[in-house]
Amino acid sequence: MANLDIRIREADVADLELIVDFISQKSEFDGSKNLLAATADKLQQTLFFQPPLVRVLLAEVAGKAVGFAMFYSSYSSLLTQPCLWLDDLFVQAPMRGMGVGTALLKCLAQIAESTNCGRMEWTVNTANAPGIAFYEKQGARILENIRVCRIDGNAINLLAGK
């Protein structure tokens, strides 16, 4: 691992296009570019809403953003505590393995600790073996007995009775 000076900062409104670009890069990495609907306008409505629905951390090396983490608060009724849900974690390919992802996760853990979160959670594609190995190295347990359930688009309308 390189000895880089990695700076983690919270994104601000001037970073909207950069965040959309990172979301686009992540969607391509995940093989879901066809699902990408993110725009700077849509992101501004949720990211810089009061209170914000989601927050973004940017990882910078030599003043250049090389990765991001998008997260929000969730809640566990079992723990009766807030939790931190990591929606996206992405580091550009040339910077992987250099401590950027670890720095982002460490900052997220500090946020979780300071807000009394009972846990941090996220999903990882089962085909992303390097990602799984990275998360396990950070202390994450990959839960085999839990599956993501998703209702989106027209299915939401149908379930809502529309």
Side-chain angles (χ1 to χ4, degrees), residues 38-145:
T39 66
D41 288 339
K42 288 169 72 175
L43 188 59
Q44 183 169 1
Q45 293 172 25
T46 54
L47 186 58
F48 299 106
F49 185 79
Q50 288 303 319
L53 300 176
V54 64
R55 294 168 60 191
V56 173
L57 298 177
L58 295 172
E60 296 177 333
V61 174
K64 181 181 185 296
V66 297
F68 85 114
M70 182 176 283
F71 66 101
Y72 54 88
S73 295
S74 62
Y75 188 80
S76 168
S77 59
L78 296 174
L79 298 175
T80 58
Q81 282 182 274
C83 300
L84 186 149
W85 182 265
L86 174 58
D87 196 56
D88 287 325
L89 178 73
F90 179 78
V91 176
Q92 292 174 325
M95 300 306 294
R96 292 183 194 142
M98 302 182 91
V100 176
T102 301
L104 283 163
L105 280 178
K106 181 178 180 177
C107 187
L108 289 166
Q110 291 167 347
I111 292 168
E113 183 181 56
S114 72
T115 55
N116 193 36
C117 288
R119 62 181 174 226
M120 291 172 42
E121 293 181 304
W122 60 93
T123 60
V124 61
N125 189 313
T126 57
N128 185 358
I132 291 169
F134 167 73
Y135 292 136
E136 288 177 328
K137 184 178 176 186
Q138 305 309 312
R141 291 179 294 121
I142 308 300
L143 305 177
E144 300 294 332
N145 62 334

